[in-house]
């Protein structure tokens, strides 16, 4: 008299079909973009132009980005300049200014 247990087989389950990329996916740096960045910087920090560039810094933060990361969203920096950009008030202001300039140029 009770309901019969009829599991839904995995083969018939539909997978989620997300159309819009996640914020993380938009912030990810593709190999082609990484290559363009390294060609642009020639391995030298783009801020101080003295040290070897070892880090890629988002000028437009992952939370604010509304498109896939492109080379103009990034700076190739040394460790010290990346820390300054992320952890100091002046660096954070510079990043916001750069993001505003980038978005205005794209429009």
């Amino acid at each position: 008299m009770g309901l019969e247990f009829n599991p839904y087989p995995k083969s018939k389950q539909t997978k989620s079909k997300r159309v819009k990329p996640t914020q993380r996916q938009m912030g990810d740096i593709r190999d082609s973009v990484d290559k363009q960045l390294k060609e642009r910087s020639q391995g030298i920090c783009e801020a101080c132009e003295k040290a070897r560039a070892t880090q890629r810094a988002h000028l437009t933060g992952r939370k604010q980005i509304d498109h896939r990361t492109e080379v103009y969203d990034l700076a190739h920096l040394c460790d010290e300049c990346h820390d300054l950009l992320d952890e100091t008030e002046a660096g954070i202001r510079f990043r916001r200014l750069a993001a505003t300039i980038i978005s205005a140029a794209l429009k």
Side-chain angles (χ1 to χ4, degrees):
M1 280 264 229
L3 294 174
E4 194 176 311
F5 178 67
N6 190 6
Y8 198 70
K10 257 203 186 304
S11 62
K12 291 188 178 182
Q13 290 178 7
T14 57
K15 293 193 176 199
S16 173
K17 294 187 178 166
R18 184 178 178 94
V19 175
K20 184 179 176 186
T22 63
Q23 209 65 43
R24 181 181 179 102
Q25 288 169 329
M26 288 193 288
D28 284 347
I29 302 168
R30 298 181 308 278
D31 291 339
S32 61
V33 172
D34 187 46
K35 184 178 177 184
Q36 291 172 2
L37 181 66
K38 289 176 180 176
E39 287 173 2
R40 183 181 76 194
S41 73
Q42 297 296 306
I44 305 297
C45 176
E46 293 180 304
C48 69
E49 297 181 338
K50 296 175 185 171
R52 188 170 149 254
T54 57
Q55 297 189 17
R56 301 163 303 180
H58 279 85
L59 297 174
T60 305
R62 285 181 186 244
K63 291 181 181 177
Q64 290 78 33
I65 203 164
D66 61 356
H67 56 276
R68 296 289 304 262
T69 299
E70 296 294 339
V71 71
Y72 51 77
D73 294 315
L74 301 169
H76 206 195
L77 305 174
C78 64
D79 295 341
E80 187 176 328
C81 289
H82 195 181
D83 288 345
L84 287 171
L85 196 68
D86 285 348
E87 298 173 7
T88 65
E89 190 175 324
I92 292 167
R93 264 190 265 126
F94 171 79
R95 239 181 19 167
R96 286 184 185 144
L97 175 63
T100 303
I101 292 169
I102 290 167
S103 71
L106 292 175
K107 291 180 181 173

